[in-house]
Amino acid sequence: MSWPSRFPTVDFTLDWQTLVAYGFGLVLLYLLARLLFVPMKWALPIIVNSFVGIAFILIFNLVGGLFDLRLALNPITVLIAGFLGLPGVGLLLALEYVVQST
């Protein structure tokens, strides 16, 4: 009994140039993935801390508005408040006081 003729035979030959090209492509794909994902490890905490800084400043402006105290909401103040937390908000308030008193 012979194999049915509806299945064609496949000639799977792989020369060394094609193998090297596949290997080079895999190495290039690995390097590209590392290049893109490693900065994300650094960027994600900065983004999270920025949102925390925005929340701190907005809460401070909400409460401080009752006492006529406000902090500017810009990227520098957001990053300071995000990285340093509540002491950062205190630092920003002290800097605001020093700048206004001079």
Side-chain angles (χ1 to χ4, degrees):
M1 186 163 165
S2 67
W3 195 257
S5 64
R6 63 181 177 188
F7 296 115
T9 59
V10 177
D11 184 23
F12 185 73
T13 57
L14 191 65
D15 55 344
W16 69 272
Q17 291 100 348
T18 306
L19 189 61
V20 169
Y22 279 131
F24 181 73
L26 285 174
V27 169
L28 190 64
L29 186 64
Y30 171 75
L31 291 175
L32 183 64
R34 277 193 61 96
L35 184 69
L36 293 176
F37 288 125
V38 168
M40 286 305 291
K41 279 200 296 192
W42 292 89
L44 191 61
I46 291 173
I47 292 169
V48 170
N49 288 342
S50 296
F51 281 116
V52 170
I54 289 171
F56 280 157
I57 291 175
L58 288 177
I59 291 170
F60 179 80
N61 284 342
L62 184 68
V63 174
L66 300 173
F67 304 103
D68 201 27
L69 296 172
R70 299 210 188 271
L71 290 175
L73 187 64
N74 58 47
I76 301 298
T77 59
V78 165
L79 286 175
I80 290 173
F83 283 124
L84 299 178
L86 290 177
V89 174
L91 173 71
L92 291 170
L93 186 61
L95 284 173
E96 185 75 24
Y97 176 74
V98 168
V99 168
Q100 284 183 358
S101 66
T102 57

